[in-house]
């Protein structure tokens, strides 16, 4: 009993230190700020000043509000992303506690810690997951979902960033199909959103559009701007890339042997470990801070969801090299569906191929990792933000992050004492 109490106390202190460091790191990032030319900021600057183009809705709104109301674009971007992050954290904490599930896995790099550790919290990803949650809620909380509201929600997300379509359409199709068992019901219901998705794929952008977008922001000052003015920066310039250029980035990312490890093997091991941890959350049951877990995730359903959502985001792994972001989409969307969709709908949702594959995978992984601590894996798992590297994998592990944080505190204390 005494050992269990000590173990719980140590884990509580560990999770507190890790969470505290993440908050500290987030505050530091806000304090240091982001350049106008950075990937984080320029993703929000894409607008329709050069014509209709993918990802332009939010940037057009920000630009219009600046023109008519004097809205400060930089502060608007930081505020929007920060509020979105708080809302997403609140969604998972409230719904997990309400359901009696464990909260232990939330702050790690493969879930909500990723946006801070890999510095993509000031991008559209968190907002897209929130829109996804809203869309799934609108789709499943009524016997007859509202055709206009569901499509309006999803279309807004697609016009903000088309990546939401990849992890939304498959699960939405299955949810609609499970009601009537007809292919045409989901196809017709989602037709407006599908048409908008095809439009943003077709109007992907060009060098001319990128230049016009950047010109529309040149006269607007930002608190942080690069001294070097060398052409169209970051995400705005990305609109001019051809499909071949985008695929080449991913190809070179996957074929590298950084630190002597073949990237495809490294990423495969990481994804398998994440899947194993998240399908075995019943083994993550420390009574942290006095919070008692009263219920475990249904392993069959969460396994099916993780497998389905992984297949859904595979195109993103092929089209882009920001693998840390795609893992965030994969894990958060899977658990969001579990928490939003009623259990009776989830029980009859999945095709036989998904159910059989997840069952076989779970059996194989249980045998492979027999005797391995899920808790220890949770603490040790890390991965780079994009291009494979063993250094990036180690540095994003919570264990290394906590160890460095403690070491930094000791270093400061010794400096203060003049030692």
């Amino acid at each position: 009993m005494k050992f269990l109490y000590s173990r719980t106390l140590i884990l509580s202190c560990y999770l507190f230190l890790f969470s505290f460091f993440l908050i500290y790191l987030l505050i530091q990032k806000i304090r240091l700020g982001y350049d106008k030319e950075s990937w984080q900021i320029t993703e929000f600057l894409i607008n329709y000043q050069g014509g209709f183009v993918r990802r332009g809705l939010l940037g057009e709104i920000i630009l219009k509000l600046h023109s008519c109301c004097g809205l400060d674009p930089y502060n608007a971007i930081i505020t929007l992303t920060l509020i979105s992050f708080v809302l997403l954290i609140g969604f998972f904490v409230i719904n997990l506690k309400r359901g009696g599930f464990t909260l232990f896995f939330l702050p790690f790099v493969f879930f909500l810690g990723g946006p801070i550790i890999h510095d993509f919290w000031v991008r559209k990803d968190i907002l897209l997951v929130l829109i996804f949650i809203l869309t799934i809620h609108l789709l499943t909380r009524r016997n007859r979902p509202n055709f206009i509201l569901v499509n309006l929600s999803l279309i807004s997300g697609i016009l903000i960033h088309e990546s939401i379509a990849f992890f939304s359409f498959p699960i939405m199709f299955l949810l609609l199909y499970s009601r009537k068992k007809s292919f045409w019901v989901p196809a017709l219901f989602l037709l407006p959103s599908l048409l908008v998705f095809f439009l943003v794929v077709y109007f992907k952008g060009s060098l001319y559009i990128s230049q016009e977008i950047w010109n529309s922001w040149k006269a607007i000052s930002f608190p942080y701007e690069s001294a070097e003015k060398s052409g169209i920066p970051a995400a705005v310039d990305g609109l001019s890339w051809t499909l071949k250029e985008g695929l080449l980035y991913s190809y070179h990312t996957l074929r590298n042997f950084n630190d002597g490890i073949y990237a495809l093997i490294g990423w495969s091991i990481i994804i398998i470990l994440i899947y194993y941890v998240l399908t075995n959350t019943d083994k993550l049951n420390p009574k942290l801070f006095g919070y008692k877990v009263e219920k475990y995730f249904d392993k069959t359903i969460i396994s099916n969801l993780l497998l389905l959502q992984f297949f859904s985001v595979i195109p993103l792994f092929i089209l882009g090299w920001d693998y840390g972001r795609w893992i965030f989409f994969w894990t958060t969307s899977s658990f969001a569906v579990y928490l939003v969709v009623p259990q009776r709908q989830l029980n009859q949702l999945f095709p036989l191929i998904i159910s059989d594959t997840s069952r076989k995978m779970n059996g194989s992984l249980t045998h492979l990792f027999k005797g391995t601590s899920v808790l220890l894996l949770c603490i040790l798992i890390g991965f780079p933000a994009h291009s494979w590297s063993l250094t990036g994998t180690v540095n994003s592990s919570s264990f290394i992050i906590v160890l460095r944080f403690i070491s930094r505190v000791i270093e400061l204390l010794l400096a203060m004492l003049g030692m």
Side-chain angles (χ1 to χ4, degrees), residues 182-201:
S182 168
F183 171 84
W184 295 108
V185 171
L188 292 173
F189 190 96
L190 295 172
L191 185 59
S193 296
L194 286 165
L195 289 174
V196 172
F197 176 65
F198 289 130
L199 282 174
V200 299
V201 170

Side-chain angles (χ1 to χ4, degrees), residues 244-293:
K244 183 179 179 181
E245 286 177 302
L247 290 173
L248 278 174
Y249 276 111
S250 298
Y251 172 70
H252 290 305
T253 297
L254 283 177
R255 70 183 296 271
N256 75 57
F257 288 81
N258 288 347
D259 302 311
I261 297 174
Y262 181 37
L264 192 57
I265 293 176
W267 282 113
S268 298
I269 291 171
I270 286 166
I271 288 168
I272 289 169
L273 288 175
I274 293 171
Y275 175 88
Y276 180 72
V277 166
L278 292 178
T279 53
N280 287 277
T281 54
D282 58 311
K283 297 180 176 64
L284 297 173
N285 191 20
K287 297 176 182 178
L288 302 173
F289 312 116
Y291 171 67
K292 184 180 179 181
V293 176

Side-chain angles (χ1 to χ4, degrees), residues 96-283:
L96 288 171
K97 287 194 70 175
R98 184 182 293 158
F101 302 116
T102 181
L103 302 177
F104 187 81
F105 62 92
L106 286 186
F108 295 97
V109 67
F110 53 81
F111 216 81
L112 296 181
I116 299 175
I117 294 169
H118 290 319
D119 204 12
F120 60 86
W121 71 276
V122 185
R123 294 191 78 161
K124 297 175 179 177
D125 303 3
I126 294 168
L127 180 60
L128 293 180
V129 174
L130 286 176
I131 293 172
F132 170 78
I133 292 169
L134 173 63
T135 307
I136 296 297
H137 178 83
L138 292 170
L139 187 66
T140 57
R141 285 307 177 188
R142 293 183 179 182
N143 291 329
R144 297 183 63 182
N146 189 302
F147 170 81
I148 295 175
L149 289 179
V150 170
N151 278 283
L152 186 61
S153 176
L154 184 54
I155 286 170
S156 298
I158 292 170
L159 291 175
I160 289 171
H161 199 296
E162 70 279 3
S163 59
I164 190 175
F166 294 97
F167 60 90
S168 296
F169 278 133
I171 186 67
M172 291 178 68
F173 185 94
L174 287 178
L175 286 167
L176 289 164
Y177 179 82
S178 66
R179 294 171 181 267
K180 298 291 184 179
K181 302 298 181 184
S182 168
F183 171 84
W184 295 108
V185 171
L188 292 173
F189 190 96
L190 295 172
L191 185 59
S193 296
L194 286 165
L195 289 174
V196 172
F197 176 65
F198 289 130
L199 282 174
V200 299
V201 170
Y202 182 77
F203 293 100
K204 64 179 188 60
S206 64
L207 183 60
Y208 167 78
I209 289 177
S210 297
Q211 188 64 64
E212 290 299 303
I213 290 170
W214 188 237
N215 288 341
S216 70
W217 294 101
K218 277 188 175 179
I220 301 173
S221 62
F222 281 63
Y224 307 96
E225 297 192 40
S226 175
E228 296 182 8
K229 307 295 182 182
S230 54
I232 308 167
V236 176
D237 181 51
L239 294 176
S240 65
W241 295 355
T242 63
L243 177 61
K244 183 179 179 181
E245 286 177 302
L247 290 173
L248 278 174
Y249 276 111
S250 298
Y251 172 70
H252 290 305
T253 297
L254 283 177
R255 70 183 296 271
N256 75 57
F257 288 81
N258 288 347
D259 302 311
I261 297 174
Y262 181 37
L264 192 57
I265 293 176
W267 282 113
S268 298
I269 291 171
I270 286 166
I271 288 168
I272 289 169
L273 288 175
I274 293 171
Y275 175 88
Y276 180 72
V277 166
L278 292 178
T279 53
N280 287 277
T281 54
D282 58 311
K283 297 180 176 64

